[in-house]
Short mmCIF file of all heavy atoms in Angstrom, two decimals:
data_model
loop_
_atom_site.label_atom_id
_atom_site.label_comp_id
_atom_site.label_asym_id
_atom_site.label_seq_id
_atom_site.Cartn_x
_atom_site.Cartn_y
_atom_site.Cartn_z
N GLN F 74 -15.02 1.34 -32.61
CA GLN F 74 -14.71 0.89 -33.98
C GLN F 74 -13.92 -0.48 -33.87
O GLN F 74 -12.75 -0.35 -33.33
CB GLN F 74 -13.94 1.97 -34.79
CG GLN F 74 -13.62 1.49 -36.11
CD GLN F 74 -12.72 2.55 -36.86
OE1 GLN F 74 -11.84 3.08 -36.14
NE2 GLN F 74 -12.87 2.66 -38.19
N LEU F 77 -10.73 -1.99 -37.61
CA LEU F 77 -9.28 -1.72 -37.89
C LEU F 77 -8.27 -2.49 -36.78
O LEU F 77 -7.14 -2.23 -36.70
CB LEU F 77 -8.96 -0.19 -37.96
CG LEU F 77 -9.52 0.60 -39.15
CD1 LEU F 77 -8.97 2.04 -39.02
CD2 LEU F 77 -9.24 -0.10 -40.34
N SER F 103 1.37 2.26 -44.73
CA SER F 103 0.37 2.16 -45.66
C SER F 103 -0.91 1.33 -45.11
O SER F 103 -1.89 1.34 -45.73
CB SER F 103 0.84 1.69 -47.00
OG SER F 103 1.36 0.38 -46.79
N GLU F 104 -0.69 0.47 -44.12
CA GLU F 104 -1.75 -0.30 -43.57
C GLU F 104 -2.90 0.46 -42.88
O GLU F 104 -2.53 1.59 -42.35
CB GLU F 104 -1.13 -1.40 -42.63
CG GLU F 104 -0.16 -2.33 -43.36
CD GLU F 104 0.11 -3.56 -42.55
OE1 GLU F 104 -0.78 -4.05 -41.90
OE2 GLU F 104 1.29 -3.97 -42.77
N PRO F 105 -4.05 0.04 -43.08
CA PRO F 105 -5.30 0.89 -42.70
C PRO F 105 -5.16 1.48 -41.22
O PRO F 105 -5.33 2.65 -41.02
CB PRO F 105 -6.44 -0.12 -42.81
CG PRO F 105 -5.97 -1.03 -43.85
CD PRO F 105 -4.47 -1.20 -43.81
N SER F 106 -4.77 0.51 -40.29
CA SER F 106 -4.71 1.06 -38.96
C SER F 106 -3.74 2.11 -38.70
O SER F 106 -3.86 3.02 -38.05
CB SER F 106 -4.39 -0.13 -37.92
OG SER F 106 -3.20 -0.68 -38.23
N GLN F 107 -2.61 1.93 -39.39
CA GLN F 107 -1.56 2.90 -39.28
C GLN F 107 -1.83 4.24 -39.89
O GLN F 107 -1.50 5.31 -39.49
CB GLN F 107 -0.21 2.38 -39.95
CG GLN F 107 0.22 1.07 -39.30
CD GLN F 107 0.38 1.20 -37.72
OE1 GLN F 107 1.20 1.94 -37.22
NE2 GLN F 107 -0.38 0.45 -37.03
N LYS F 108 -2.69 4.21 -41.03
CA LYS F 108 -3.03 5.49 -41.72
C LYS F 108 -4.03 6.28 -40.61
O LYS F 108 -3.86 7.37 -40.53
CB LYS F 108 -3.97 5.07 -42.92
CG LYS F 108 -3.05 4.84 -44.12
CD LYS F 108 -3.95 4.80 -45.36
CE LYS F 108 -3.13 4.70 -46.62
NZ LYS F 108 -4.05 4.49 -47.79
N GLN F 109 -4.92 5.47 -40.02
CA GLN F 109 -5.80 6.19 -39.10
C GLN F 109 -4.98 6.61 -37.90
O GLN F 109 -5.25 7.82 -37.42
CB GLN F 109 -6.92 5.15 -38.67
CG GLN F 109 -7.85 5.92 -37.66
CD GLN F 109 -9.17 5.28 -37.70
OE1 GLN F 109 -9.78 4.91 -38.85
NE2 GLN F 109 -9.83 5.05 -36.54
N LEU F 110 -4.11 5.97 -37.37
CA LEU F 110 -3.27 6.34 -36.22
C LEU F 110 -2.50 7.65 -36.64
O LEU F 110 -2.09 8.44 -35.72
CB LEU F 110 -2.36 5.29 -35.72
CG LEU F 110 -3.01 4.22 -34.87
CD1 LEU F 110 -1.87 3.14 -34.44
CD2 LEU F 110 -3.64 4.62 -33.70
N SER F 111 -2.15 7.76 -37.94
CA SER F 111 -1.35 9.01 -38.25
C SER F 111 -1.97 10.30 -37.99
O SER F 111 -1.31 11.27 -37.86
CB SER F 111 -0.89 8.78 -39.75
OG SER F 111 -2.09 9.18 -40.62
N LEU F 176 -11.88 11.36 -39.61
CA LEU F 176 -10.58 10.70 -39.69
C LEU F 176 -10.12 10.06 -40.88
O LEU F 176 -9.04 10.33 -41.45
CB LEU F 176 -10.57 9.61 -38.64
CG LEU F 176 -10.22 9.88 -37.11
CD1 LEU F 176 -10.11 8.54 -36.41
CD2 LEU F 176 -9.02 10.84 -37.03
N HIS F 177 -11.05 9.27 -41.55
CA HIS F 177 -10.62 8.68 -42.82
C HIS F 177 -10.48 9.63 -43.98
O HIS F 177 -9.71 9.46 -44.85
CB HIS F 177 -11.62 7.50 -43.19
CG HIS F 177 -13.00 8.01 -43.60
ND1 HIS F 177 -13.08 7.99 -45.03
CD2 HIS F 177 -14.06 8.37 -43.04
CE1 HIS F 177 -14.41 8.37 -45.29
NE2 HIS F 177 -14.88 8.55 -44.10
N ARG F 178 -11.21 10.69 -43.87
CA ARG F 178 -11.23 11.82 -44.96
C ARG F 178 -9.82 12.48 -44.85
O ARG F 178 -9.29 12.80 -45.91
CB ARG F 178 -12.31 12.79 -44.80
CG ARG F 178 -13.64 12.24 -44.98
CD ARG F 178 -14.69 13.25 -45.26
NE ARG F 178 -14.97 14.24 -44.13
CZ ARG F 178 -15.87 14.00 -43.18
NH1 ARG F 178 -16.58 12.88 -43.14
NH2 ARG F 178 -15.99 14.85 -42.23
N ILE F 179 -9.18 12.61 -43.73
CA ILE F 179 -7.91 13.33 -43.59
C ILE F 179 -6.68 12.36 -43.62
O ILE F 179 -5.53 12.82 -43.95
CB ILE F 179 -7.75 14.20 -42.40
CG1 ILE F 179 -7.96 13.40 -41.11
CG2 ILE F 179 -8.82 15.37 -42.44
CD1 ILE F 179 -7.63 14.41 -39.81
N THR F 180 -6.93 11.08 -43.43
CA THR F 180 -5.75 10.18 -43.43
C THR F 180 -5.73 9.21 -44.54
O THR F 180 -4.85 8.55 -44.71
CB THR F 180 -5.81 9.32 -42.12
OG1 THR F 180 -6.96 8.55 -42.15
CG2 THR F 180 -5.69 10.14 -40.89
N GLY F 181 -6.92 9.02 -45.30
CA GLY F 181 -6.97 8.02 -46.33
C GLY F 181 -7.14 6.67 -45.81
O GLY F 181 -7.06 5.68 -46.58
N ALA F 182 -7.47 6.50 -44.60
CA ALA F 182 -7.76 5.20 -44.00
C ALA F 182 -9.23 4.71 -44.52
O ALA F 182 -9.88 5.61 -45.00
CB ALA F 182 -7.73 5.26 -42.43
N PRO F 183 -9.32 3.47 -44.38
CA PRO F 183 -10.81 3.07 -44.84
C PRO F 183 -11.86 3.70 -44.09
O PRO F 183 -11.72 3.96 -42.92
CB PRO F 183 -10.82 1.49 -44.66
CG PRO F 183 -9.32 1.15 -44.32
CD PRO F 183 -8.67 2.35 -43.91
N ALA F 184 -12.97 3.92 -44.79
CA ALA F 184 -14.19 4.61 -43.94
C ALA F 184 -14.65 3.56 -43.01
O ALA F 184 -14.61 2.40 -43.28
CB ALA F 184 -15.17 4.87 -44.98
N PRO F 185 -15.04 4.12 -41.83
CA PRO F 185 -15.82 3.11 -40.88
C PRO F 185 -16.95 2.50 -41.52
O PRO F 185 -17.51 3.18 -42.50
CB PRO F 185 -16.21 4.13 -39.75
CG PRO F 185 -15.36 5.43 -39.90
CD PRO F 185 -15.02 5.42 -41.34
#
Side-chain angles (χ1 to χ4, degrees):
Q74 186 188 28
L77 295 185
S103 57
E104 295 194 35
S106 66
Q107 301 305 300
K108 279 189 176 173
Q109 183 152 315
L110 283 178
S111 73
L176 273 190
H177 77 94
R178 298 198 292 272
I179 61 174
T180 63

